[in-house]
Amino acid sequence: MTTTTAADSLNVAVIGAGICGLLAARELLRENHRVTVFEKSDRLGGTWVYDPRTEADDGLGLDPDRSVVHSSLYSSLRTNLPRPLMGFSDYSLEHKSYGDPRMFPGHDEVRKFLEDFAEEFGVVEVVRFNSEVIGVEIRDGEFVVEVGGGTVATAEEVFDAVVVCNGHHTEPRVANDIPGMDEWSRKQVHSHNYRVPEPYRDQVVVVIGNGPSALDISREIATVAKEVHLSSRSSNVKVSRSDVYENMWQHSKIDRVFGDGRVVFGEGQSIEADIILHCTGYKIHFPFLRKIGDVHVDDNRVGPLYKHVFPPQLAPRLAFVGLVFNQGVLFRTFELQAKWIALALSGKISLPSQDEMLIDVRKHYQEMDEKGIPKRFSHSLNFQFEYVDWLAAQVGCKVDDRLKHICKTAYEHFIAQPNGSRDAFRRMDSELTDSEVAQYKQQ
Ligand code: FAD
């Protein structure tokens, strides 16, 4: 791979027109690169385009030839972050309203916001809809991108660089390491296929997980189901009956399941269930990456990647946006990743040498190993701002302390009231005293 110089205007392929693809395209256009965004569907917004369809195998993702539904949104989904955190540095959802003024709006508000964003910055014009990237490989130092899908005849196109933004909430991860799971003959569903509570009416449902989807979905199902049993492998959960729903219980990890529907939890309780609903997350999946240096995925670790973005061997010509998670200012983080890539491709920012980047990656893995952190958390930001501040410094800007404060108070709100509703979250920056803001800045 050749390096870039400040004078280069590169021909760049962006894969996917979700938030990350739209941001990448905007930043690349600002740097005068020639951009094509390939989007396999006929709309932009990715995850935020609600799709009432479900997949044939209950969303378990077992059949590789199934017809894949991209979005995992459920009908009632509201953002799990307050509005100010769901925007970009110069384009904010906080000051917009598309008919849902709530602090944690419904999903359609975000989709409309993204459509306006793409219109405002001229990104729509460079999106090629119904164009699925089937293959990406390097031939003679160039990226050959194979595109097909929908009504588009399969064809190859050559690019100087590729930015991968295909999203990571489509390919389900299922908790199949539970003892007895191979005997389980009753229904199992992954939250990827959950849309509305009605199919769970009068059922005894075990929900596995403790992320936002598990919590939202279990509460929603509790309004129609006979019983809901929420099971988490986290050691922090309190085994108890819900204060709000008398047909809902929190359990520890599942110890074992049986073919006759029995489910035994770690604390010793046993129940008979009709359905197991896996809210156990997703697998990172790049079905289109072929001969692409040493990039590979191992238990949701995409590696080797320098700072979750650049494979050292191919940087900056190949880059990934949106792999990081567990952070409250994700939209801003994606935006900064996009800026970093665009500036690196313009030659305005220099990256460390290949060896230096690899050393940094190995150091990250070693630190994880020493702390006993599983590989699948390689891209977790642990709800810290260190990474986003580092990125901001790379591109010469700063992330507002106000956003960090809102993030922190939202997090505290949900920790303090695990059953608390989003609407109970009131404490915003406008309510802070100057001394509280100063105190926060010192932390
Ligand atoms: P996506 O939004 O998934 O977009 C990827 C795009 O790539 C899609 O349009 C897809 O069609 C396209 N694509 C995929 N493969 C190809 C291909 N081969 N060729 C061409 N196009 C392709 N984040 C928050 O910050 N706040 C929240 O409240 C929040 N709630 C969430 C709730 C749920 C249920 C889920 C699943 C996620 C939530 N997230 C939330 C995280 C969310 O995924 C991100 O906010 C964001 O949507 C990720 O954007 P993305 O661009 O990486 O991926």
Side-chain angles (χ1 to χ4, degrees):
M1 287 276 121
T2 50
T3 52
T4 57
T5 66
D8 285 335
S9 165
L10 302 177
N11 188 19
V12 187
V14 175
I15 304 173
I19 293 170
C20 295
L22 298 175
L23 285 166
R26 179 179 76 155
E27 298 306 325
L28 290 162
L29 289 170
R30 282 176 163 171
E31 285 299 307
N32 293 319
H33 295 298
R34 288 157 287 141
V35 181
T36 306
V37 180
F38 294 104
E39 170 51 52
K40 68 178 177 183
S41 76
D42 58 359
R43 294 176 75 175
L44 54 82
T47 285
W48 296 96
V49 180
Y50 174 72
D51 190 337
R53 294 175 305 154
T54 50
E55 291 181 12
D57 62 358
D58 286 324
L60 296 172
L62 304 174
D63 176 6
D65 299 324
R66 71 196 186 279
S67 177
V68 173
V69 175
H70 183 80
S71 178
S72 301
L73 291 189
Y74 31 96
S75 175
S76 65
L77 183 132
R78 292 171 64 184
T79 63
N80 49 42
L81 297 168
R83 283 184 105 88
L85 304 183
M86 301 286 296
F88 313 118
S89 58
D90 51 1
Y91 201 77
S92 158
L93 180 60
E94 187 177 5
H95 304 298
K96 289 189 168 285
S97 179
Y98 300 92
D100 180 351
R102 294 174 295 180
M103 185 54 77
F104 294 78
H107 53 80
D108 212 39
E109 189 86 352
V110 182
R111 181 190 60 75
K112 288 173 181 156
F113 169 70
L114 294 176
E115 278 183 357
D116 266 11
F117 171 82
E119 197 70 56
E120 172 90 15
F121 293 98
V123 174
V124 186
E125 288 145 43
V126 299
V127 180
R128 242 193 256 168
F129 291 102
N130 299 309
S131 302
E132 178 170 3
V133 171
I134 299 165
V136 178
E137 63 184 69
I138 298 171
R139 271 189 238 146
D140 303 326
E142 291 178 314
F143 287 93
V144 180
V145 176
E146 188 184 345
V147 184
T151 51
V152 180
T154 304
E156 288 185 348
E157 291 180 47
V158 174
F159 290 89
D160 300 311
V162 170
V163 185
V164 180
C165 307
N166 63 317
H168 310 295
H169 294 97
T170 296
E171 194 67 24
R173 265 176 86 97
V174 177
N176 50 13
D177 56 346
I178 296 170
M181 211 59 216
D182 47 348
E183 293 166 28
W184 180 261
S185 54
R186 298 193 177 181
K187 198 168 172 63
Q188 338 177 29
V189 186
H190 189 277
S191 55
H192 177 54
N193 252 29
Y194 179 81
R195 298 290 179 272
V196 290
E198 198 48 41
Y200 302 85
R201 182 169 291 281
D202 301 327
Q203 303 290 298
V204 177
V205 188
V206 172
V207 178
I208 306 177
N210 69 340
S213 296
L215 298 176
D216 277 352
I217 291 173
S218 54
R219 287 176 202 145
E220 184 164 80
I221 288 178
T223 61
V224 298
K226 189 171 166 198
E227 292 173 17
V228 177
H229 298 269
L230 187 55
S231 166
S232 166
R233 67 178 158 194
S234 162
S235 52
N236 294 332
V237 298
K238 192 169 143 237
V239 175
S240 60
R241 186 177 186 153
S242 161
D243 301 338
V244 183
Y245 304 97
E246 58 181 31
N247 60 343
M248 186 164 134
W249 289 262
Q250 171 73 63
H251 300 274
S252 57
K253 193 175 160 204
I254 294 176
D255 201 34
R256 188 178 169 82
V257 299
F258 294 87
D260 61 4
R262 261 180 312 142
V263 177
V264 182
F265 299 99
E267 75 276 7
Q269 283 194 53
S270 170
I271 57 142
E272 188 182 331
D274 300 303
I275 305 174
I276 291 180
L277 176 52
H278 300 261
C279 297
T280 40
Y282 296 87
K283 289 185 209 160
I284 297 177
H285 190 46
F286 306 111
F288 44 82
L289 290 186
R290 291 178 190 159
K291 293 177 210 154
I292 210 83
D294 54 359
V295 180
H296 63 285
V297 186
D298 179 7
D299 192 18
N300 272 9
R301 169 184 285 177
V302 186
L305 280 192
Y306 177 59
K307 305 291 184 198
H308 312 288
V309 172
F310 292 114
Q313 207 181 36
L314 298 168
R317 304 273 181 148
L318 179 66
F320 294 77
V321 186
L323 292 172
V324 291
F325 63 100
N326 277 351
Q327 224 253 39
V329 287
L330 271 185
F331 281 26
R332 294 297 301 277
T333 309
F334 298 159
E335 182 185 10
L336 289 166
Q337 290 182 328
K339 278 186 200 295
W340 190 35
I341 294 164
L343 291 170
L345 283 171
S346 303
K348 291 183 183 165
I349 285 182
S350 307
L351 297 174
S353 71
Q354 188 175 320
D355 282 349
E356 285 166 334
M357 288 192 267
L358 271 173
I359 289 167
D360 187 87
V361 176
R362 288 199 199 106
K363 187 167 155 254
H364 175 51
Y365 295 166
Q366 193 184 337
E367 282 168 5
M368 289 185 63
D369 287 347
E370 283 165 9
K371 291 179 188 159
I373 301 172
K375 273 188 190 153
R376 64 178 185 280
F377 292 106
S378 295
H379 304 293
S380 167
L381 299 180
N382 301 319
F383 301 98
Q384 302 296 315
F385 300 111
E386 197 184 331
Y387 176 73
V388 69
D389 286 339
W390 181 89
L391 269 181
Q394 300 306 299
V395 304
C397 66
K398 198 172 174 302
V399 177
D400 196 349
D401 286 327
R402 173 178 170 263
L403 288 189
K404 295 179 187 172
H405 185 86
I406 295 171
C407 193
K408 191 166 166 269
T409 48
Y411 184 64
E412 284 166 1
H413 170 77
F414 287 113
I415 295 287
Q417 313 180 33
N419 283 322
S421 90
R422 288 164 167 82
D423 295 324
F425 176 75
R426 289 275 176 268
R427 193 183 154 84
M428 299 298 294
D429 62 317
S430 56
E431 296 168 31
L432 296 176
T433 63
D434 289 348
S435 68
E436 280 177 314
V437 172
Q439 189 189 3
Y440 176 67
K441 283 183 177 172
Q442 281 165 14
Q443 284 168 17

